[in-house]
Amino acid sequence: MGHWRGGSTGRPRVAVVGAGFAGLAAARKLARQPVDVLVLDKHNYHTFLPLLYQVASAGLEPEAIAKPVRSILRRAPNVGFRMAEVTGVDLSGRRVLTETGHIPYDYLVLAAGSATNYFGSPEIEAHSLPLKELTDATILRSHALSMLETAALVDDREQRKKLMTIVVVGGGATGVELAGSLAELKRHVLPDDYPELDIESEARVIMLEALENLLPGFPPRLQKEALRQLQRLGVEVRLSSPVESAEDGIVRLGDGTTIQAATIVWVAGVKASLLSEGLSEELARGGRVPVRRTLQLESHPEVWVAGDMAYLEEKGRPIPMVAPAAIQQGAVAGENVIRAVQGLPLREFRYSDRGSLATIGRQRAVAHVPPLQFTGLLAWVVWLVVHLFWLVGFRNRVLVLVNWAWNYILYEPGSRLITRPLRRQGREVREEAVGRGVAKP
Ligand SMILES: Cc1cc2nc3c(=O)[nH]c(=O)nc-3n(C[C@H](O)[C@H](O)[C@H](O)COP(=O)(O)OP(=O)(O)OC[C@H]3O[C@@H](n4cnc5c(N)ncnc54)[C@H](O)[C@@H]3O)c2cc1C
């Protein structure tokens, strides 16, 4: 047995925190090398986050975008896995702290990713739904569908409209993709599923963006195109509309206006995992950990940080929090651990930017693959090819790909199950609607 479980093989012990894009890329580099590796994650699965919005908008089943870490690592005899929530790192004692015991290491790769950033607003955190993990997506899907089920009970038109309104806050790629696919769900699926509701005139998808444009970081032409495509799908986009606060079923904008919406989705920001705190005297923007070009911690060179948690600049600009950057960094971190073990000089990280893509519904997208810009169907085909190849590598089964494409094109009804109990804000909105005496007998 290679990886350590209390006993030791005498080989260097490498702990990898996080089985996301960066952590798995590091583990792959460490596989079959003369080290004992333990990967830790709070979930027993890896999540393909770029398609999370598809689960949230009932386009794909959760199983289509997640895979158990143990099965991914099965073929690497020196790499083990432990499901555990990491609570901190004892840098001087060289131990990873978890709720189920402390794990000593010789080398550490930290790749715990990022978390939703509510910019210090407890009200927004309490009254909106995030989209950062697989469970967030199933909760959001169940919540939105439960609100429709409630609307089907209600006679009062205003109440029904509120129940059928989804506000997506944040016009970055995740928000744009989510709003687009919710609009398509509204157009193509919900009218048949809910014949008793007037989906077309009463259901709304509203997108709120604080800045003047959608998709920050994309070229202006693609930002405008994304806006046009979303509007064509029926999304009500409000630019320059910062959200001030939220209450149960109400969004309050900076200019004092309010929007009644039973489903408020907050995808307006991310910040590095809380594990970043204490790793460096000063954290960079978004709570990210500044690292050397070799991805090591300045104060502890036996620790590497990769992915969304790490802060490094390329050509004077921060490396973005995106999956390709995380994969590239994880691979370099893993390789550098082996080089350190072997006493070889370490590699410096260089980010290779492959461009940015965002889909808008099922047949439209915008793609920036410098110096090229694509829009519409062509961009969507680029997006599909990129993601299908990526997914194939991930799931490694053509059959799954065919199944996935089938669900994707035909809106497999299994993905529209309500599988989660309502969270507090959902229960309150439902009770308010049904308890006001406006429910149908
Ligand atoms: C909805 C959504 C859509 C996105 N779409 C795209 C896209 O289309 N293209 C793109 O390039 N990027 C996209 N991104 C960004 C991309 O997913 C991230 O940049 C990337 O996942 C970062 O990789 P990572 O390894 O740093 O973190 P992650 O992939 O997030 O992995 C972190 C891992 O650490 C685990 N973890 C976290 N905290 C702990 C803890 N305390 N203890 C134990 N385990 C822990 C998590 O469970 C997770 O498995 C998207 C992100 C989101 C949220």
Side-chain angles (χ1 to χ4, degrees), residues 17-23 40-43 45-47 49-50 52-53 84-87 111-114 131-133 174 177 273 275 306-309 321-324 326 357 387 390:
V17 175
F21 286 108
L40 296 136
D41 200 292
K42 60 183 170 180
H43 301 120
Y45 50 82
H46 167 80
T47 310
L49 291 172
L52 199 59
Y53 76 96
E85 171 116 30
V86 174
T87 51
S114 52
L131 186 60
K132 197 68 191 68
E133 300 188 347
T174 298
E177 293 190 326
S273 155
L275 290 181
D308 283 359
M309 273 181 86
M321 291 159 105
V322 292
L357 293 161
H387 283 79
W390 205 354

Side-chain angles (χ1 to χ4, degrees), residues 51-306:
L51 289 176
L52 199 59
Y53 76 96
Q54 284 285 342
V55 176
S57 55
L60 287 173
E61 293 160 32
E63 290 76 8
I65 67 155
K67 189 170 178 175
V69 181
R70 285 180 185 275
S71 82
I72 296 173
L73 300 175
R74 196 163 41 192
R75 291 202 185 88
N78 66 320
V79 183
F81 174 70
R82 187 177 294 181
M83 185 171 126
E85 171 116 30
V86 174
T87 51
V89 181
D90 171 9
L91 287 173
S92 49
R94 297 197 181 180
R95 295 181 312 163
V96 174
L97 312 177
T98 82
E99 285 173 338
T100 49
H102 304 331
I103 292 147
Y105 63 80
D106 300 305
Y107 299 94
L108 172 64
V109 178
L110 276 173
S114 52
T116 301
N117 192 350
Y118 297 98
F119 302 103
S121 169
E123 291 82 24
I124 293 175
E125 183 166 356
H127 299 293
S128 66
L129 297 167
L131 186 60
K132 197 68 191 68
E133 300 188 347
L134 194 60
T135 44
D136 295 336
T138 50
I139 288 170
L140 172 51
R141 173 185 90 184
S142 293
H143 174 94
L145 291 172
S146 296
M147 293 301 107
L148 286 176
E149 292 297 338
T150 307
L153 299 171
V154 165
D155 270 338
D156 182 88
R157 184 162 192 267
E158 287 313 307
Q159 195 67 32
R160 255 195 337 261
K161 280 173 73 176
K162 173 177 176 175
L163 289 162
M164 291 199 269
T165 299
I166 301 179
V167 169
V168 177
V169 187
T174 298
V176 164
E177 293 190 326
L178 178 68
S181 69
L182 287 171
E184 292 219 315
L185 186 74
K186 173 192 157 186
R187 182 180 286 187
H188 298 300
V189 178
L190 298 182
D192 288 339
D193 272 12
Y194 294 90
E196 67 270 56
L197 291 174
D198 184 356
I199 296 285
E200 198 188 329
S201 65
E202 294 185 0
R204 298 166 77 193
V205 180
I206 302 172
M207 151 140 292
L208 301 176
E209 167 54 49
L211 302 175
E212 286 171 5
N213 287 301
L214 298 173
L215 297 178
F218 279 67
R221 183 171 86 87
L222 297 187
Q223 293 176 334
K224 292 203 171 53
E225 184 60 24
L227 172 64
R228 206 178 60 84
Q229 293 182 7
L230 273 186
Q231 286 170 334
R232 266 180 43 186
L233 283 178
V235 178
E236 299 170 40
V237 184
R238 299 197 195 169
L239 300 171
S240 308
S241 301
V243 169
E244 181 90 6
S245 68
E247 298 157 33
D248 257 347
I250 299 173
V251 183
R252 202 170 292 282
L253 300 182
D255 64 7
T257 54
T258 55
I259 301 171
Q260 305 270 330
T263 306
I264 304 164
V265 190
W266 183 262
V267 284
V270 287
K271 58 179 184 191
S273 155
L274 285 181
L275 290 181
S276 296
E277 283 168 18
L279 293 180
S280 164
E281 274 186 13
E282 236 176 279
L283 293 177
R285 206 169 152 219
R288 298 168 86 187
V289 188
V291 286
R292 297 182 192 172
R293 285 227 76 88
T294 50
L295 305 178
Q296 288 160 295
L297 269 189
E298 198 56 60
S299 56
H300 283 269
E302 72 283 7
V303 178
W304 280 260
V305 188

